[in-house]
Amino acid sequence: LDVGDEAACSDEAAGRALIDRYILVHADEYGQKWEALMAMVRKLYAFADDRVQEESSDALVNQEVLLPGHLLCMIVKEKLGEWLAACASHARRELEPQRAGKEPPDRRADDFLKRCMDRATSQVNVGSKVDYFLVTGNLVSQSGLDLQQTSGFTIVAERLNYWRFISHFRSVHRGAFF
């Protein structure tokens, strides 16, 4: 938590910064945050005492809408991370001092950086990975991006009639998990 100058920061200022940045960020006033937290604690105690049932994962409160732009951003971020890791791997391999008696290349040379980037691009092509996702709707990811499904992210917008076609862009797909 970065609250500025640590020596001049009191415990109260650090606590307020923590609450403002990370706890119920949509609520503006501390009173609203306190009421919401107390409602959560009361519900937790009621659940532990078997006075309320566990909420279904199908309940509206447990659902969220993942927008296409956010999903694409997550995919591009992961693939760029893979590309950067491949760049670093190629650079480390080329800079190893025991490479068959060769003199290590100049790290500041343009051709060294370009060579590392070209090798990484041949290994991890970000554009083709995103294109594959858009065409097939199948997610190929090392982390899974905290999603419950790996396929069925795209649907074909059928043009049977105008209203059917438009309805594809207004609908919320619940995913293959349900």
Side-chain angles (χ1 to χ4, degrees), residues 20 32-33 40 45 69 73 77 97 104 115 120 123 162 164:
D20 289 341
Q32 293 173 334
K33 293 182 184 207
M40 290 178 199
Y45 282 141
C73 184
K77 179 182 175 186
R115 208 169 40 249
Q123 184 179 347
Y162 179 77
R164 170 84 173 154

Side-chain angles (χ1 to χ4, degrees), residues 47-58:
F47 176 70
D49 198 30
D50 285 331
R51 288 184 281 145
V52 294
Q53 290 183 343
E54 178 182 358
E55 291 188 8
S56 167
S57 62
D58 204 22

Side-chain angles (χ1 to χ4, degrees), residues 14-32:
R16 287 187 182 277
L18 179 76
I19 291 170
D20 289 341
R21 292 182 192 168
Y22 299 108
I23 297 176
L24 300 170
V25 296
H26 63 283
D28 296 327
E29 299 175 15
Y30 292 118
Q32 293 173 334

Side-chain angles (χ1 to χ4, degrees), residues 11 29 44 67 93 105 111 117 153-154 173 175:
D11 291 342
E29 299 175 15
L44 178 64
L67 298 175
R93 194 174 311 127
D111 62 331
M117 292 169 67
F153 283 101
T154 58
H173 188 282

Side-chain angles (χ1 to χ4, degrees), residues 21 34 42 61 76 80-81 86 90 111-112 117 123 137 150 166:
R21 292 182 192 168
W34 174 257
R42 282 192 298 271
V61 72
V76 168
L80 283 175
H90 289 296
D111 62 331
F112 169 72
M117 292 169 67
Q123 184 179 347
T150 57
I166 293 299

